[in-house]
Amino acid sequence: MVQRRRVDAACGLITAACSGGASPALAEGPRLHRFGERDIMTLRNLLLGATMLCASATPAFAFAQDAAPADDSAVAVDDTDYGNDIIVTASKRSQTLQDTPVAVSVTSAAQLEESQIRDLIDLQTAVPSLRVSQLQSSANTNFIIRGFGNGANNAGIEPSVGVFIDGVYRSRSAAQIGDLPNVERIEVLRGPQSTLFGKNASAGVISIVTQKPQYEFGGSAELTYGNFNAITVKGDVTGPISETVAFSIGGSYNRRDGYAQDLKLDTDVNDRNRWGVRGQLLFEPTDALSIRLIGDYDKIDENCCIAGNVIAGPTVAITNALASGPSVDANNPFSYDVYNNFLSTNEIENYGGSAQIDYDLGNLALTSITAYRKVKALTNQDSDFTGADLIGENSQDLGIDTFTQELRITSDFDGPINFLLGGYYFNEKIDQENDIRFGTQFRPYGDQLIRAASGNALNVALLEGTFGALEGAPTRYLGTFFRAGDGLDEAYRLKDEAFSIFGTVDFEVTDRLTLSLGGNYTKDRKNFSTNVISTDTFSGINLDAPQYAPFRQALLIGGGVDPATAAFLAANPTLTLPNGSSANPLAGLKAFQFLPPFLNLPNSVEDGKTSDSDFSYSVRAAYEVTDTVNVYATYATGFKASSVNLSRDSRPLASDLAAITAAGLRTPNLATGSRFAAPEESTVYEFGLKGQWDVAAVNVAVFKQSIKGFQSNVFTGTGFALANAGKQSTFGIEFDGSVRPVEGLNLTLAATYLDAKYDSFVNSAFGDISGTTPAGIPALSMSMGATYTHEFAGGTKAIAHVDYAYESPVQIVEGLSGFPAGVAESLQREVNSLNASFTIRLTNGLDVGVWGRNLTNAQYLTTIFPAVAQAGSVSGYPSQPRTYGGTVRFKF
């Protein structure tokens, strides 16, 4: 009865959250300001369902688990087997999930197979606190945990979510999005993890753990065929070379026709074409020494990613005329019909190797992980997303070389104190070359823009002739404005060198209470340079220059000014209007100076360097309430180093403009912005409960997390604005539970409630948005699933699985440049995704199954943005349509 009362009390925490009586955070009215009555009922019903999961499992709560093995690869995670504990390495020690005082979600190899999760983009359907978005190319993927993260459109931007594969950090998304290797489990650590994982884990960590080579010969082969002519082939083999050496080698091939149609090029687009190989050697010459060598290579060569027209603005009439027919499928992004002038290019090579050495010194264990990674990504895209040839090239040639070294020592004393102490070194070089060039129809397009802006008083030819004549060279500019092939030639270099010293100390106050203290000192230095040359002639014209005063005056006179002003201007033909004055009749043309001359750095004012240092720490108390129920409380800080703006939108700070002008460095039409964003500093207060029994498991976390100096990177229609927000904070509740009510049936429910806001963001791309809700963060996300396994006489099994993912409606972006208030607010995303599979598993190792993802063909926009150089239009990336197929798998 005592055991039952303790568990009832633990489940009561959840029940109280539903009733509102014992949870001030939920009862507080303002925190539900984004919820209507329907949403409140949804949240309460969700938490009530979580309570029912607890209640349904209470008859079996008295049964404790067997002791977990110490080796992190000694037990495979099986959703239907509660006789084994789930082993994780979230704290860089092998612990059971229940004993790990960290908010962590674990997805097993069985779950990946049942849900047809092939990469990290698919993983978000199983982890509600994780959001993954693929942006304009296969190499640009955005990871967000608990509403914190940022875009990956810029290689100089540090990630907020660290991705590790077998302990090796993958620094950029281009190195993270390949098909998942031979996975044992995926751990998603939520909240700041900088104490153990350093400068790029201020929002969380995704840790992928693959299977080690085995000393028993075995392997698997898999063939999948699906709609859109999808073919996936996977295979791996492992076994002994000698009594002390084992190997494994695996490979995968994944191709699919495009699910969208380019009606101008008469071909399918958004296809998939990727393959990879991975080999491992495991040396264990003694019981104390283990050496694991891993080498891998994967390649992507795909046509990605389409953007549909969400709002058709006034420029669509112009692009339709230039294209001699439809240039977009107006206001219909989910038709998956697009019009482009050339196919997108996504050629990505990702390869590297690592060596992990583990040496057992008795009460101490030494671990060394040395790794080198190389990424080469060549991308190109028709970025105007229309059938008119406006942008003839928007390419990027990116190379990233990364070397990392981690060394740590871990104690395993019998006494009350144990520790982990380590050091980490990071060295990365980024070489990036970009080209953006006008297409063959940008000149007539620009001419139409100028005519429309001036009431047909001006045109390209008139401007070319007039500016040249006033400069004393009438033919100087003829035929040069918006000329095909002109644009920007860009080159960027970045070197990042960082080191950190980290450690934790655990003190067992009693056999049930453990206090932990952790710290991490990080030093990060970056050196960066640019070499950007503009050949856009019109963007180099200073429309406020004195030599153009007669032209401006003539326009004013012709514009119908009063007779006295007209007489004054005629008598003063060299009069210069105030610089930047709205009285300048040419001022409206500045919006069409798309690619102005670039101020390169380093220069005499800007040194192109950043130097950051930080000490992050964590304080944690973990208490074992019973043998099956643990609670913990944590306060932790996190750190993310400065992010560098490696793009054409890199501009000097306003505070540097005077010095730049004084030094004679100022270029025509130089605007201010940012060269880099300052570091982020995050904090979290978190309380968690973890319970695991023979037939059920429950994990609950309640937290308040904030980031000061959040690095925001927003597309404005002609470029990206990189800026630091003052502070962003989120209050949240996370629930993750599973129960086996009857033999063979396993039910899961994971849910996340987030109440996020900008406490302070004065200098956003849309002005002061302090006090508003950050876009793209749904208040409620959840994933629920059911797996039923029926075993026939003789051992053959039938496995049926279904899972459903939901995200409540949310505003997609903070704002849309050039649009009135209310437009961005009206464009919302709501996710409803249903997946299912059915598998027959024979006793000889053969599996035959069918599967489907997004079976209801739910449609939503992953993100939206102002159409490139097309004022009044909005483009967006549509979600992937329904996919289905069959799989044959053989394990031996």
Side-chain angles (χ1 to χ4, degrees), residues 344-603:
S344 297
T345 300
N346 293 269
E347 297 178 5
I348 304 168
E349 289 182 272
N350 172 42
Y351 55 88
S354 65
Q356 177 170 337
I357 302 174
D358 294 289
Y359 191 61
D360 188 351
L361 300 172
N363 291 329
L364 298 173
L366 182 67
T367 298
S368 170
I369 303 177
T370 307
Y372 170 77
R373 306 287 322 163
K374 174 72 174 181
V375 175
K376 295 191 291 185
L378 179 63
T379 61
N380 193 15
Q381 187 177 53
D382 187 0
S383 295
D384 59 79
F385 303 112
T386 74
D389 187 16
L390 306 183
I391 297 178
E393 178 183 4
N394 187 14
S395 64
Q396 181 180 92
D397 188 352
L398 175 66
I400 304 175
D401 291 85
T402 308
F403 173 81
T404 58
Q405 173 65 56
E406 180 177 358
L407 186 66
R408 65 178 185 264
I409 188 167
T410 308
S411 72
D412 187 18
F413 299 134
D414 293 333
I417 296 179
N418 277 285
F419 69 88
L420 181 152
L421 180 65
Y424 186 79
Y425 176 74
F426 174 87
N427 189 304
E428 184 169 78
K429 296 179 180 178
I430 298 177
D431 291 326
Q432 176 182 315
E433 294 182 358
N434 291 26
D435 288 295
I436 182 168
R437 304 190 184 282
F438 295 136
T440 58
Q441 293 181 316
F442 201 94
R443 180 176 170 85
Y445 177 73
D447 183 67
Q448 291 298 314
L449 293 180
I450 289 173
R451 289 176 182 273
S454 65
N456 221 31
L458 301 174
N459 58 68
V460 167
L462 174 63
L463 292 175
E464 290 173 334
T466 302
F467 290 147
L470 292 173
E471 292 180 21
T475 62
R476 173 174 294 169
Y477 296 121
L478 297 185
T480 64
F481 290 0
F482 309 121
R483 181 170 50 196
D486 285 355
L488 285 181
D489 293 308
E490 309 168 58
Y492 308 93
R493 303 289 182 268
L494 171 66
K495 181 177 181 180
D496 184 3
E497 188 172 29
F499 72 87
S500 62
I501 300 172
F502 60 90
T504 60
V505 176
D506 298 330
F507 176 53
E508 294 184 5
V509 181
T510 69
D511 60 349
R512 290 189 178 273
L513 175 63
T514 301
L515 302 180
S516 300
L517 181 66
N520 182 308
Y521 174 78
T522 297
K523 181 69 175 180
D524 180 86
R525 294 187 180 93
K526 293 184 175 73
N527 293 282
F528 54 98
S529 62
T530 68
N531 183 18
V532 180
I533 300 172
S534 174
T535 56
D536 177 4
T537 306
F538 181 64
S539 293
I541 298 289
N542 182 2
L543 298 175
D544 298 315
Q547 62 264 36
Y548 305 141
F551 186 31
R552 294 195 294 267
Q553 293 162 6
L555 292 174
L556 282 173
I557 295 172
V561 298
D562 61 87
T565 303
F568 174 75
L569 292 173
N572 296 273
T574 60
L575 179 67
T576 301
L577 295 175
N579 191 16
S581 168
S582 60
N584 182 354
L586 299 176
L589 303 184
K590 294 180 181 180
F592 311 128
Q593 294 183 307
F594 298 109
L595 304 172
F598 191 91
L599 177 60
N600 286 302
L601 79 164
N603 53 57

Side-chain angles (χ1 to χ4, degrees), residues 526-532 597-610 644-645 647-667 670-677:
K526 293 184 175 73
N527 293 282
F528 54 98
S529 62
T530 68
N531 183 18
V532 180
F598 191 91
L599 177 60
N600 286 302
L601 79 164
N603 53 57
S604 60
V605 177
E606 304 168 293
D607 60 8
K609 296 179 180 180
T610 66
V644 178
N645 199 347
S647 78
R648 65 185 69 101
D649 306 304
S650 172
R651 298 183 178 93
L653 295 171
S655 57
D656 288 335
L657 197 57
I660 288 171
T661 303
L665 299 174
R666 186 161 182 167
T667 58
L670 179 65
T672 58
S674 66
R675 298 293 197 178
F676 60 90

Side-chain angles (χ1 to χ4, degrees), residues 19-69:
S19 65
S23 178
L26 278 179
E28 183 182 348
R31 289 210 177 275
L32 297 177
H33 67 279
R34 288 188 292 155
F35 273 25
E37 181 178 349
R38 174 187 172 190
D39 297 310
I40 295 173
M41 291 302 298
T42 299
L43 178 61
R44 290 180 179 241
N45 290 339
L46 173 62
L47 292 175
L48 181 60
T51 309
M52 293 174 65
L53 273 177
C54 279
S56 65
T58 51
F61 278 163
F63 296 96
Q65 296 298 297
D66 297 332

Side-chain angles (χ1 to χ4, degrees), residues 664-719:
L665 299 174
R666 186 161 182 167
T667 58
N669 301 317
L670 179 65
T672 58
S674 66
R675 298 293 197 178
F676 60 90
E680 292 180 355
E681 294 183 353
S682 57
T683 59
V684 65
Y685 298 86
E686 181 171 311
F687 171 80
L689 178 149
K690 293 177 179 245
Q692 186 170 348
W693 307 273
D694 280 353
V695 297
V698 172
N699 300 298
V700 179
V702 180
F703 62 90
K704 178 64 179 292
Q705 186 171 329
S706 63
I707 290 184
K708 291 183 179 179
F710 173 72
Q711 296 171 358
S712 171
N713 190 41
V714 177
F715 186 68
T716 61
T718 55

Side-chain angles (χ1 to χ4, degrees), residues 142-226:
N142 185 14
F143 298 94
I144 296 174
I145 293 179
R146 290 180 170 175
F148 296 99
N150 49 27
N153 309 85
N154 190 317
I157 295 180
E158 296 272 1
S160 298
V161 176
V163 177
F164 294 78
I165 299 180
D166 290 324
V168 176
Y169 176 52
R170 300 292 183 96
S171 66
R172 296 296 185 270
S173 62
Q176 302 163 352
I177 47 85
D179 286 3
L180 297 176
N182 194 10
V183 172
E184 181 177 294
R185 67 182 182 274
I186 301 175
E187 303 172 12
V188 178
L189 287 64
R190 309 186 296 271
Q193 307 295 328
S194 296
T195 301
L196 290 177
F197 292 92
K199 63 172 184 155
N200 300 119
S202 59
V205 163
I206 301 172
S207 177
I208 301 172
V209 180
T210 70
Q211 296 177 0
K212 290 182 178 180
Q214 304 295 308
Y215 286 95
E216 181 179 350
F217 183 77
S220 67
E222 177 183 315
L223 175 64
T224 296
Y225 182 80

